[in-house]
Amino acid sequence: MGEFYHLLMKHSLSLLMAIFMVFSCTTKKEKPADLNLINIVPAPVKVELQNGFYSINDTIKIAALTDDERSAAAFLIEFLTLYNIPSLAVSDSNASISIRSFVSKEILPEGYYRMSITENGVDIFSTSASGLFYAVQSLIQLITVDASVVRIPKAIITDFPRFAWRGLHLDVCRHFFPVDFIKRYIDLMAQYKFNTFHWHLTEDQGWRIEIKKYPKLQSIAAWRNETLIGHYGDQPHQFDGQRYGGYYTQDEIKEVVAYATQRHITIVPEIEMPGHSLAALSAYPELGCTQGPYEAATLWGVFDDVFCAGKESTFTFLQDVLDEVTELFPGQYIHVGGDECPKIRWETCPHCQERLKDERLADEHELQSYFIQRIEKYLNAKGRKIIGWDEILEGGLAPNAAVMSWRGEAGGTAAAQAGHHVVMTPGFALYFDHYQSVQKNEPTAIGGHTSLKKVYDYEPIPTALSQEESEFILGAQANLWTEYIKTPEHVEYMVYPRALALAEVVWSPKENRNWDSFIKRLSNQFRLLDLQNVNYRQPLTDELK
Ligand code: ACM
Ligand code: ZN
């Protein structure tokens, strides 16, 4: 490596970029590199493999100068300690690994990086902090250690993500997970270049975010009297008699948001409305249509008691809640739920019926639209955007809302055709609460069957969309609802390795996706996950065909 090489690279990089862009546009028929030798998941955009390895058996010096470079270097240093390999960040270029930001005249995709591994060492270049971070994640996956010798295969890698929304969701309401585990969930997401964590914070069974203006959300809504034993389908229902609950303090939320930000992950908090709100009603029964009393649910499902859409106090409450939520979460999107809201209480509630008349609404679906649109207006005025489950299409979509398509792809397709942004999370492929195999010994799950292969084969752009419409597909996300998942170990079992398949769906170019290559690269990932003590599910041989 050395100074001359650095300077040369710095000054000629824009030109190289331009050449690369032209090259990659005119060589569509080029055979993809043999990605099996570069075991990275998600598969990079372009790999130029060279023979041999770069090896080091000394303290690894990592050249890093700016804050972004040093931050990326810190993740590499932390990883090397897992192998007891000594390493340190240095400010000169006389190092084995160099992490460099550069300024480009080209507009490069967010997260773009280029990494070259030669006999002289490793050079990482990116125009963005996220690109440096992703390069380090790729490098971590390339490193093997044998008797204190670090080996990295020689290659030149050019990489950037296909989609802007690469998400994983976690329901912390049906079961609650401690801050340390949320951080670990974020660590693993970052390792596979996910950038959006959808934190499902409120539900019928528990309210999990501290809201200072409403202390009963902590003292009452965060708790349920007991929990169903076994599966919902087992009759008669039996309960464990154990009070269950918990919530994150605002200080803890701030800590998690900062932790995620360092790992280039945006957190999208979900505050459910108007349905799935029984826990909130248990604390503030005046916000329901019937005055209650209400109790946080002890059973799973969909409940008739929802926020009253007629009373002004409902909107005052939710706006106050959102004031605190937006202070805590800096990302552009706030998820407002919108799914599975029965209209039966609204049909007979005088407040709701008066609202219907006053606003000249045709039916209760339009009343739900009124509800969501009013919240959208409030959040838009604060400079934020809303995203909601695909039910928010019914009765008329809020003008600027993004849609999360979960009941298949129809909602997402319709929303994209209407010029709304969409995140694809269809149940048939991306619900990680489904069984992973048809084996009888799988732990009890909600139902369904979403194999690793089904996730891998998922294509987020529906065929019905034109090129122009497909631009509205922000990306895809897997959802993990935790009715039947009580422990961090079980969360990891459900998410890994399926998240690796999704990572490739949302990051890698469609033409680089190849099942045979993926399953070969998987064994290297299992080595890494073993090192991190991740409780992933080991696929059966039959599932890897
Ligand atoms: C959902 O699964 N109810 C969004
Ligand atoms: Zn009402």
Side-chain angles (χ1 to χ4, degrees):
M1 208 172 48
E3 192 65 24
F4 172 71
Y5 182 69
H6 266 140
L7 287 172
L8 182 72
M9 280 307 285
K10 238 180 212 157
H11 292 291
S12 56
L13 217 67
S14 302
L15 181 64
L16 283 178
M17 267 351 119
I19 292 167
F20 166 70
M21 291 298 181
V22 172
F23 183 72
S24 58
C25 291
T26 53
T27 54
K28 281 264 150 56
K29 290 200 188 72
E30 185 192 1
K31 258 182 119 177
D34 179 5
L35 294 165
N36 303 334
L37 292 168
I38 296 293
N39 280 311
I40 299 169
V41 172
V45 172
K46 189 162 190 262
V47 175
E48 296 157 73
L49 246 196
Q50 276 139 31
N51 287 327
F53 291 82
Y54 171 64
S55 302
I56 336 164
N57 61 355
D58 201 356
T59 296
I60 298 183
K61 289 187 191 159
I62 304 164
L65 284 170
T66 67
D67 286 351
D68 290 347
E69 292 162 5
R70 295 180 73 84
S71 162
F75 286 102
L76 183 56
I77 290 167
E78 190 185 321
F79 171 75
L80 289 166
T81 60
L82 275 179
Y83 281 112
N84 295 316
I85 300 292
S87 60
L88 73 152
V90 296
S91 54
D92 60 64
S93 54
N94 184 21
S96 327
I97 297 172
S98 141
I99 299 178
R100 289 280 178 260
S101 308
F102 72 95
V103 178
S104 168
K105 289 203 184 83
E106 310 291 326
I107 297 169
L108 294 170
E110 173 64 35
Y112 173 98
Y113 70 88
R114 184 171 161 89
M115 174 159 64
S116 76
I117 303 138
T118 68
E119 60 275 14
N120 298 316
V122 180
D123 281 289
I124 286 169
F125 296 93
S126 179
T127 51
S128 60
S130 62
L132 298 174
F133 180 78
Y134 294 139
V136 163
Q137 297 311 316
S138 291
L139 180 57
I140 282 171
Q141 295 187 19
L142 289 176
I143 288 173
T144 52
V145 180
D146 191 8
S148 295
V149 179
V150 170
R151 280 173 20 124
I152 310 165
K154 288 187 207 163
I156 297 172
I157 296 169
T158 311
D159 203 9
F160 50 86
R162 179 177 174 204
F163 289 106
W165 187 301
R166 305 182 298 281
L168 286 185
H169 152 287
L170 183 64
D171 166 16
V172 295
C173 302
R174 274 55 176 266
H175 285 100
F176 182 64
F177 299 93
V179 166
D180 280 353
F181 179 68
I182 301 299
K183 288 182 176 172
R184 182 171 159 98
Y185 197 76
I186 287 168
D187 282 338
L188 289 171
M189 284 180 67
Q191 182 158 295
Y192 294 103
K193 305 187 177 86
F194 286 98
N195 69 348
T196 308
F197 172 43
H198 174 170
W199 204 359
H200 183 81
L201 288 164
T202 75
E203 255 305 335
D204 295 308
Q205 293 83 3
W207 181 285
R208 307 269 176 249
I209 172 173
E210 179 188 24
I211 300 296
K212 295 198 189 276
K213 194 160 186 178
Y214 294 97
K216 284 194 278 183
L217 290 174
Q218 286 73 256
S219 59
I220 297 174
W223 302 90
R224 62 176 179 256
N225 288 333
E226 54 187 357
T227 301
L228 180 73
I229 297 172
H231 195 273
Y232 186 93
D234 302 340
Q235 296 291 341
H237 286 149
Q238 286 188 305
F239 296 87
D240 65 6
Q242 306 282 316
R243 190 166 151 82
Y244 183 93
Y247 64 91
Y248 305 104
T249 65
Q250 294 203 352
D251 282 345
E252 287 173 326
I253 301 248
K254 283 180 201 156
E255 189 183 320
V256 171
V257 168
Y259 191 86
T261 304
Q262 286 166 352
R263 288 153 183 80
H264 302 279
I265 287 176
T266 302
I267 303 186
V268 177
E270 181 176 354
I271 305 297
E272 273 268 16
M273 62 190 81
H276 286 294
S277 47
L278 206 41
L281 296 186
S282 73
Y284 297 98
E286 62 274 21
L287 305 178
C289 291
T290 66
Q291 307 285 350
Y294 307 104
E295 278 186 355
T298 56
L299 198 59
W300 319 126
V302 172
F303 298 88
D304 289 340
D305 288 305
V306 302
F307 284 121
C308 177
K311 293 175 184 166
E312 278 304 295
S313 55
T314 298
F315 294 96
T316 306
F317 168 82
L318 286 171
Q319 289 170 8
D320 288 343
V321 166
L322 291 168
D323 284 348
E324 295 192 30
V325 167
T326 49
E327 279 297 309
L328 293 167
F329 294 96
Q332 60 173 332
Y333 280 105
I334 304 292
H335 201 301
V336 297
D339 60 319
E340 299 178 321
C341 179
K343 309 296 187 293
I344 188 164
R345 295 287 181 260
W346 292 359
E347 284 165 13
T348 53
C349 167
H351 301 282
C352 286
Q353 290 305 310
E354 196 178 316
R355 176 82 71 193
L356 218 110
K357 270 201 218 91
D358 288 352
E359 298 292 332
R360 298 174 204 279
L361 305 171
D363 59 19
E364 284 72 20
H365 291 293
E366 288 195 8
L367 183 55
Q368 166 147 341
S369 281
Y370 164 85
F371 196 118
I372 299 291
Q373 290 191 28
R374 193 165 157 179
I375 295 295
E376 173 176 77
K377 216 182 244 174
Y378 188 75
L379 284 169
N380 283 172
K382 292 166 89 72
R384 304 304 182 93
K385 295 180 187 168
I386 67 161
I387 184 163
W389 301 110
D390 57 57
E391 286 93 331
I392 67 171
L393 283 151
E394 295 161 9
L397 192 49
N400 308 311
V403 170
M404 201 166 253
S405 194
W406 73 281
R407 297 175 302 175
E409 296 181 303
T413 303
Q417 286 168 338
H420 287 258
H421 283 114
V422 169
V423 176
M424 284 298 188
T425 69
F428 66 83
L430 299 182
Y431 264 42
F432 285 3
D433 54 344
H434 290 182
Y435 285 99
Q436 304 190 63
S437 82
V438 291
Q439 293 289 114
K440 292 271 182 289
N441 59 355
E442 289 292 342
T444 299
I446 196 159
H449 174 222
T450 302
S451 64
L452 184 65
K453 177 93 164 58
K454 213 184 238 179
V455 178
Y456 195 81
D457 287 343
Y458 182 62
E459 169 50 39
I461 308 272
T463 48
L465 295 184
S466 68
Q467 175 63 34
E468 204 174 302
E469 290 160 350
S470 69
E471 302 291 326
F472 288 101
I473 307 293
L474 293 174
Q477 172 182 296
N479 297 333
L480 192 72
W481 305 101
T482 58
E483 287 92 335
Y484 301 100
I485 303 169
K486 293 178 198 241
T487 64
E489 294 73 26
H490 194 177
V491 168
E492 289 183 354
Y493 179 87
M494 299 306 277
V495 175
Y496 291 90
R498 289 187 290 194
L500 274 62
L502 176 60
E504 199 140 310
V505 169
V506 290
W507 177 283
S508 306
K510 195 177 168 186
E511 59 275 18
N512 282 12
R513 243 196 287 156
N514 178 306
W515 172 250
D516 291 337
S517 159
F518 175 71
I519 58 176
K520 283 186 186 124
R521 282 175 286 128
L522 209 49
S523 57
N524 184 57
Q525 299 307 321
F526 288 159
R527 182 186 58 81
L528 186 57
L529 294 173
D530 282 335
L531 192 67
Q532 295 159 330
N533 292 316
V534 176
N535 185 42
Y536 61 88
R537 175 180 179 277
Q538 179 73 55
L540 304 173
T541 315
D542 272 2
E543 296 165 25
L544 298 178
K545 283 179 185 151

